Amino acid sequence: MSPDMAVLLYDNPVSGNCHKVRLILGLLGIEYERHELSVVDRSDRAEVLTGLSASLNVPTVVLDDGRPLAESNAILWYFADGSRYLPDDPYERAQVLQWLFFEQYKHEPAIAVVRFWVGYAETPPPAAEIEARRTAGRAALEVMERHLSEHDYFVAARFTIADIALYAYTHVAPEGGFDLAPYPAVRAWLDRIEAEPGIVPISA
Ligand SMILES: N[C@@H](CCC(=O)N[C@@H](CS)C(=O)NCC(=O)O)C(=O)O
């Protein structure tokens, strides 16, 4: 790849993990090209992503110097570093990581996975398994509700990549059957995030 090439994003339009990357690139005004991969038919993943992403997942980016990077939150961190979307203070940076890890361990595996199962999967698991994940998803929403009842944003009293990471699958949680009515602070935060210039829902 020549040094002048744009960032390349291996992308999928319905993936919240990919949406995070599209949002940060858009906010920072970084031009990129998209290579779309299916999240249902994954038969071309090895051919396309071997050598770029060990887990063969989207999102994966290839930087303008040819180096690849996978994992949505690592990509968020890489591009946001040095910008207003990632604090400089070491404690606040650790707090951002705290919420990025929460998103990947407690939130995404429940809320994103249920949305995928009910909306996109060719062979979803039994209803009891889906309901167990919904219970886990509601627990994650309760964690967010507790924090957001006392804070407008996740870290540093301002919009950061912690908000982008958690926005990605929270705003489409109803597609997975999650009712957001019991979480007024989460709903107010979603409105606050969508009022940020450059933040658009995944459907846009
Ligand atoms: N932890 C990864 C998760 C990525 C992920 O699960 N990507 C999905 C689409 S949202 C995918 O590529 N799935 C294909 C597969 O698992 O084979 C991240 O945050 O980027």
Side-chain angles (χ1 to χ4, degrees):
M1 182 177 274
S2 92
D4 296 319
M5 278 192 81
V7 169
L8 174 59
L9 169 61
Y10 290 93
D11 194 15
N12 179 275
V14 302
S15 157
N17 287 316
C18 294
H19 187 46
K20 297 173 192 174
V21 177
R22 294 193 299 273
L23 287 175
I24 193 67
L25 292 173
L27 288 169
L28 294 170
I30 296 173
E31 288 189 20
Y32 63 99
E33 292 166 8
R34 295 176 61 249
H35 181 131
E36 190 170 320
L37 292 173
S38 171
V39 288
V40 178
D41 173 7
R42 302 193 287 261
S43 56
D44 58 353
R45 289 294 179 100
E47 184 190 330
V48 176
L49 291 178
T50 296
L52 302 178
S53 160
S55 51
L56 306 179
N57 277 339
V58 291
T60 293
V61 294
V62 180
L63 304 177
D64 55 6
D65 61 8
R67 291 177 299 172
L69 187 62
E71 291 293 327
S72 59
N73 289 350
I75 298 168
L76 278 181
W77 185 279
Y78 177 80
F79 284 111
D81 204 6
S83 80
R84 58 186 284 243
Y85 305 111
L86 178 57
D88 293 330
D89 175 75
Y91 178 67
E92 290 176 347
R93 288 165 77 84
Q95 286 183 306
V96 170
L97 285 174
Q98 169 190 298
W99 286 108
L100 296 185
F101 290 128
F102 164 79
E103 191 269 343
Q104 284 286 293
Y105 189 66
K106 293 285 193 187
H107 185 287
E108 193 257 20
I111 294 174
V113 168
V114 171
R115 171 176 173 266
F116 177 75
W117 282 343
V118 304
Y120 304 98
E122 285 170 333
T123 50
E129 201 174 324
I130 296 176
E131 208 37 57
R133 290 283 181 121
R134 282 215 181 94
T135 302
R138 284 192 292 271
L141 290 168
E142 278 156 25
V143 171
M144 293 173 68
E145 180 69 16
R146 272 198 298 279
H147 184 80
L148 293 168
S149 299
E150 296 184 356
H151 304 85
D152 284 348
Y153 298 95
F154 279 95
V155 179
R158 62 187 167 87
F159 176 68
T160 70
I161 58 170
D163 299 288
I164 297 176
L166 282 158
Y167 171 74
Y169 284 108
T170 305
H171 82 291
V172 288
E175 293 178 17
F178 293 96
D179 178 11
L180 294 182
Y183 312 105
V186 170
R187 286 187 285 110
W189 167 81
L190 285 175
D191 290 344
R192 208 172 293 125
I193 298 309
E194 288 181 350
E196 285 286 329
I199 293 295
V200 289
I202 196 167
S203 54

